[in-house]
Amino acid sequence: MLAPAVEKWRGTAEQQRHLPHALFEVLRDAGVFRLSTPRAIGGAEVDELTALRVIEELSRQDGSVGWNVMVASNTATIASYLPSTGLKTLYQGGANTVVAGALLPKGEAHPVPRGYRLSGRWTLASGCHQAGWMVACSTVMEQGKPRLHPDGRPDLRTFFLPVAQCDLLDTWYTAGMRGTGSHDWHVTDVFVPEELSFPLFLDGSSTPGALLVKDFSAYAVARVAAVALGIARDAIESLLALAKTKVPTVSTSTLATQHITHERLGRAEALLRAGRALLDETVSELPYTPAWNVGLSDEQRAAIRLAGAHAAHNAAEAVDLMFNTAGTAGIYSSSRLERCFRDVHVATQHINVAPSNIEMVGQHLLGLGLHFRR
């Protein structure tokens, strides 16, 4: 149902550097932007493996579409941490409300009566053009200095504010994932009510029944990897179609008859299936409870980081195999393989699936602790 619309608007999204509104409306009406929105406010609140399959399939159709849906799913989960009054305000326009933004703490929040005054600039706000709200993490400041917890950590807080109060900056000029609209944005001295914020390191759910987890960043890994897996499937299917008709230069038969094509296709398929299998197995073993607030052990965190990075980089290797097999036919902007090549190598730059995750898991296995990065 969605594939014809995605195909129709793929080129426009690439040129505009964000999803066309007509395509967004089709996706919204299909319900894909409420996959992880709590049932309590009308969302679908699907299980994690279902969310992964939807994100992967949409990424097969177009990497930017899958990425935008993935981010919307993540921010909907983050929003579930809001107190009930804040959650109702956020979704007063309905369960299809899109939230854009990120959790990297880059701004300053100054406490005032009933809330905070927020200022700062943030990056990579994927989907900001169709968003109704933005989410940002900032350091709480007092007397010109970061406010500290008793253990010495800075007080980091997550804030939600209407996109109309934000200035979107035209910064998204990239090698791939051009249709995601992942621009920078900033605000200056904007008031955010207390109920539209929560501590970044919140322990547990404030919305009973929501798909909410204490270690949110660990669970988000799989959704990023699912985008890369979908792009790799697109690359394999595109090469299969091309191989039946393309006759390489000075050759007398099609790519489909070449032994190197056979070997690379088989290897790409194995890479993709192996990456997905480990990812699904690991996600299935993560703890989900009625309260959705069980923390993960270091072993579980290490397992999902390893599975996510492994799946994403397997996907990138599979795409490279297909791109190289296509020869010059794959280098033109009219080729799906050209788009897959650019998109997957942008997706694998995400911190959740970066190669450093594999290194940190190796360090953990040696008993040297599990760190996010060196």
Side-chain angles (χ1 to χ4, degrees):
M1 179 180 71
L2 296 178
V6 174
E7 183 65 31
K8 177 180 179 180
W9 295 106
R10 277 170 58 90
T12 304
E14 185 86 351
Q15 294 168 4
Q16 292 182 176
R17 292 171 294 115
H18 62 82
L19 298 188
H21 190 70
L23 176 57
F24 165 68
E25 288 182 327
V26 172
L27 295 166
R28 179 200 61 201
D29 293 347
V32 298
F33 286 108
R34 56 187 182 91
L35 289 176
S36 299
T37 305
R39 291 193 188 98
I41 49 92
E45 198 182 319
V46 301
D47 66 272
E48 192 63 17
L49 287 178
T50 297
L52 294 183
R53 291 294 82 81
V54 173
I55 292 168
E56 183 179 348
E57 170 56 24
L58 290 170
S59 300
R60 183 192 67 81
Q61 296 175 22
D62 182 75
S64 291
V65 170
W67 190 269
N68 270 191
V69 172
M70 177 272 294
V71 170
S73 296
N74 286 344
T75 53
T77 304
I78 296 168
S80 300
Y81 284 76
L82 285 169
S84 59
T85 53
L87 193 65
K88 290 177 181 178
T89 299
L90 188 73
Y91 285 102
Q92 59 189 332
N96 287 318
T97 297
V98 174
V99 181
L103 291 184
L104 292 177
K106 293 192 174 185
E108 293 186 358
H110 297 266
V112 295
R114 301 184 304 280
Y116 299 82
R117 307 295 303 192
L118 182 66
S119 297
R121 174 170 174 164
W122 295 265
T123 59
L124 303 172
S126 301
C128 59
H129 286 274
Q130 61 259 18
W133 292 77
M134 302 291 278
V135 58
C137 182
S138 294
T139 303
V140 178
M141 306 292 289
E142 284 187 337
Q143 299 179 343
K145 297 180 180 180
R147 188 165 71 185
L148 302 178
H149 290 289
D151 63 3
R153 292 180 304 158
D155 185 2
L156 302 179
R157 199 166 182 89
T158 304
F159 300 90
F160 292 80
L161 58 163
V163 71
Q165 296 181 341
C166 308
D167 293 320
L168 304 182
L169 307 176
D170 189 17
T171 56
W172 191 242
Y173 295 88
T174 56
M177 290 291 187
R178 293 175 183 170
T180 61
S182 306
H183 297 283
D184 290 11
W185 61 287
H186 73 82
V187 297
T188 303
D189 198 34
V190 171
F191 175 71
V192 181
E194 177 80 24
E195 64 268 20
L196 286 172
S197 70
F198 59 81
L200 180 60
F201 300 108
L202 186 68
D203 288 340
S205 169
S206 56
T207 306
L211 280 175
L212 185 62
V213 289
K214 183 176 178 179
D215 296 274
F216 167 75
S217 61
Y219 285 75
V221 168
R223 298 177 184 178
V224 177
V227 175
L229 292 173
I231 295 170
R233 176 54 65 198
D234 185 9
I236 291 172
E237 291 179 355
S238 297
L239 193 280
L240 283 169
L242 176 68
K244 296 174 183 178
T245 59
K246 178 182 176 179
V247 177
T249 304
V250 304
S251 180
T252 59
S253 59
T254 64
L255 271 179
T257 67
Q258 308 292 315
H259 293 310
I260 193 170
T261 302
H262 305 160
E263 191 274 337
R264 287 176 175 174
L265 271 168
R267 191 143 49 100
E269 186 69 26
L271 285 164
L272 178 57
R273 293 192 189 189
R276 185 194 295 114
L278 179 59
L279 187 68
D280 285 359
E281 175 185 311
T282 307
V283 167
S284 297
E285 293 174 351
L286 293 179
Y288 287 92
T289 71
W292 306 109
N293 61 359
V294 175
L296 303 183
S297 66
D298 279 351
E299 287 69 28
Q300 291 166 323
R301 289 193 189 94
I304 191 60
R305 288 174 64 181
L306 182 64
H310 174 259
H313 289 276
N314 270 21
E317 185 177 347
V319 172
D320 288 351
L321 285 167
M322 300 299 89
F323 182 79
N324 291 332
T325 303
T328 56
I331 68 174
Y332 292 94
S333 59
S334 57
S335 169
R336 291 284 285 262
L337 283 164
E338 185 266 354
R339 179 81 64 85
C340 290
F341 181 82
R342 290 188 291 107
D343 283 354
V344 80
H345 285 289
V346 170
T348 53
Q349 298 303 309
H350 195 285
I351 189 171
N352 279 347
V353 295
S356 57
N357 288 285
I358 297 175
E359 177 193 356
M360 292 299 97
V361 172
Q363 177 176 292
H364 165 72
L365 293 174
L366 287 167
L368 302 175
L370 181 65
H371 306 290
F372 204 89
R373 273 187 170 173
R374 195 174 307 284

